[in-house]
Amino acid sequence: MGKATAIIQARMGSTRLPGKIFMPLPMGGQTSVLQQVCRRVSTAAGVEQFIIATTTNPKDDMVEKWAGANNCLSHRGSEGDVLDRFYRTAEKYGADPVIRITADCPCIDGEIISEMLAAYRKSGADYLSNTIERTFPHGLDTEIFSFAALKRAREEASLPSYREHVTPYIYKSGLFNCRSYVNKEATPGEENIRVTLDTREDYTLLSAVYDLLGETFSHKELVSLFKTHGWLGMINENIVQKKVYGSTEEELADALNLLENRGMTVAAAALGQYLKTM
């Protein structure tokens, strides 16, 4: 068994909001999204090290430079093959289990990471996450998996969607013992709260959250804030969360649901007819 390691996936080249990881959040001084992610991950009991996994793209020179200036371990790898980047990072630093965190989640909760790590160790599972069965807000996403599972995924996964992301082969292939970590005290609707950073609307919301709660707040305090200030959820309620699809049929079925939910009945009917022919 290696070191329990949080690997933070970070790069400058976001499609929807380039450079988002260095956007400032309102604190007494100015602090970046990435800085807050690292700070909050560092509070998780049981996590022995954390590493920033960035890319070899020249744009990410500044990510490596930031890591060095802030005494953070880092590794650079493929921009497109994120699965390989994670594997090589984990191998280099002796990570086992691996805790996957993304750098666009500045509300990540160290206590949840700690609880999940303890649950993972008791479970005997290859993979544990709070994302497949969602009972926590978007942006508190944590996945924990063995180095052996990561290595096998890296060797066997061939679909582009399995290489561009780290874990879909593990939880979609049926070859691994995968379990969900469920929030047993979830407040109704909290799974619809979105505190991850993909768009300008998300950034406005996160700035408001940090302005109202300050730097140190828990998952429960975050959910309570949204309950008290219902207008917060309206800021980014129209943003569609990105998903990883295993097939064209799966993606089209999701598109049909989206059209129906938006009241686009003509387009939904046309797509529905097309799906029946597939």
Side-chain angles (χ1 to χ4, degrees), residues 42 55 81 83 102 108 131 139 142 171 203 218 228-229 265-266 277:
S42 71
T55 85
D81 191 345
L83 175 56
T102 56
I108 194 76
T131 61
T142 302
Y171 65 76
Y203 178 63
S218 68
T228 303
H229 301 286
T265 55
V266 175
T277 67

Side-chain angles (χ1 to χ4, degrees), residues 189-263:
E190 76 167 86
E191 72 279 3
N192 297 320
I193 294 173
R194 178 186 167 86
V195 284
T196 186
L197 178 59
D198 281 321
T199 68
R200 283 284 173 186
E201 292 88 346
D202 294 332
Y203 178 63
T204 299
L205 174 60
L206 286 165
S207 295
V209 167
Y210 265 80
D211 189 46
L212 291 166
L213 290 179
E215 182 179 33
T216 304
F217 55 88
S218 68
H219 153 240
K220 290 182 179 179
E221 289 171 321
L222 177 69
V223 173
S224 178
L225 179 71
F226 275 77
K227 185 176 181 180
T228 303
H229 301 286
W231 55 268
L232 282 169
M234 298 171 65
I235 295 174
N236 65 351
E237 64 181 352
N238 291 322
I239 304 303
V240 178
Q241 183 73 24
K242 285 184 176 181
K243 292 179 65 175
V244 179
Y245 297 100
S247 67
T248 301
E249 291 80 4
E250 185 181 350
E251 185 171 353
L252 287 172
D254 224 17
L256 177 59
N257 289 331
L258 180 61
L259 290 171
E260 290 174 341
N261 290 336
R262 295 292 173 87

Side-chain angles (χ1 to χ4, degrees), residues 73-132:
L73 298 173
S74 66
H75 179 73
R76 302 182 73 166
S78 171
E79 184 169 24
D81 191 345
V82 189
L83 175 56
D84 182 72
R85 191 199 321 166
F86 254 70
Y87 168 77
R88 292 180 184 276
T89 302
E91 181 183 45
K92 178 178 178 179
Y93 288 101
D96 194 14
V98 177
I99 303 155
R100 178 176 177 259
I101 306 292
T102 56
D104 53 7
C105 293
C107 296
I108 194 76
D109 191 301
E111 185 174 351
I112 292 174
I113 296 172
S114 300
E115 291 172 355
M116 288 184 64
L117 183 58
Y120 167 83
R121 285 175 165 155
K122 289 179 182 178
S123 71
D126 299 309
Y127 170 93
L128 176 76
S129 84
N130 63 359
T131 61
I132 296 176

Side-chain angles (χ1 to χ4, degrees), residues 24-32 35-36 210 215:
L25 291 168
M27 298 293 302
Q30 290 295 332
T31 181
S32 71
Q35 186 173 350
Q36 285 304 314
Y210 265 80
E215 182 179 33

